[in-house]
Amino acid sequence: MKFTIPSSLEYLDYIAGTIYEKDATTYSGGWSQGNGSHYKLNGGGVYAGISPKLKGKHFGLTSELAVGIFTYKEYISVVRDRSNPPVDFHERNSSAGLGALASVGAYARFGRFGINPNFNMVFSGGGNSSFIFYGLTLPLTISFY
């Protein structure tokens, strides 16, 4: 969820929001044969920053630059042989602390509703690990002003 607040400058807005991400590559497998693996990654945080943009009435280009507090966790478990536990592998990485968010995209808006496809990157550092995520998002927007 993101809130955009207009500034006194025509091509600059303030932003504040929260983000939650869940990795689409989460998988599990092989447990019934006596061995297997499990992988999971998720997290999120809160952020605030600026959003420079080239505005048009219905179409435009957008970008976001923000800092925030993010936390992400990654779990990896591999069991090669349940009868010999010393060969098991289990790792948990996590980051918690300051991070950054950046994006570039476009928008189309008609009336109060629109769509804002963009390419975004999130950096989360701190704790015992750091993560960089990137990808495409396709948010639907509602304007209240």
Side-chain angles (χ1 to χ4, degrees):
M1 179 176 292
K2 176 181 75 172
F3 297 97
T4 304
I5 304 156
S7 73
S8 60
L9 303 172
E10 184 178 357
Y11 297 103
L12 183 70
D13 293 336
Y14 301 111
I15 58 171
T18 184
I19 188 170
Y20 173 75
E21 296 175 305
K22 181 175 167 79
D23 187 13
T25 61
T26 299
Y27 67 88
S28 295
W31 292 111
S32 62
Q33 291 84 22
N35 60 16
S37 60
H38 184 74
Y39 177 83
K40 189 174 187 179
L41 175 69
N42 58 38
V46 295
Y47 62 89
I50 60 172
S51 177
K53 56 183 70 182
L54 295 173
K55 292 182 179 182
K57 182 174 181 174
H58 298 291
F59 302 98
L61 300 174
T62 64
S63 64
E64 295 176 356
L65 304 167
V67 295
I69 298 173
F70 299 98
T71 180
Y72 286 90
K73 292 182 173 105
E74 175 184 52
Y75 302 94
I76 304 167
S77 295
V78 177
V79 178
R80 293 186 181 102
D81 183 359
R82 285 188 180 174
S83 64
N84 189 3
V87 298
D88 290 354
F89 172 76
H90 178 75
E91 186 173 332
R92 178 177 173 246
N93 296 318
S94 63
S95 69
L98 289 178
L101 178 140
S103 75
V104 59
Y107 74 86
R109 184 174 72 191
F110 297 95
R112 295 179 56 174
F113 300 96
I115 191 165
N116 180 212
N118 61 64
F119 176 80
N120 64 33
M121 293 182 64
V122 176
F123 168 76
S124 175
N128 67 354
S129 189
S130 295
F131 296 100
I132 294 179
F133 301 100
Y134 57 90
L136 294 172
T137 60
L138 189 60
L140 302 176
T141 62
I142 300 173
S143 177
F144 293 104
Y145 58 91

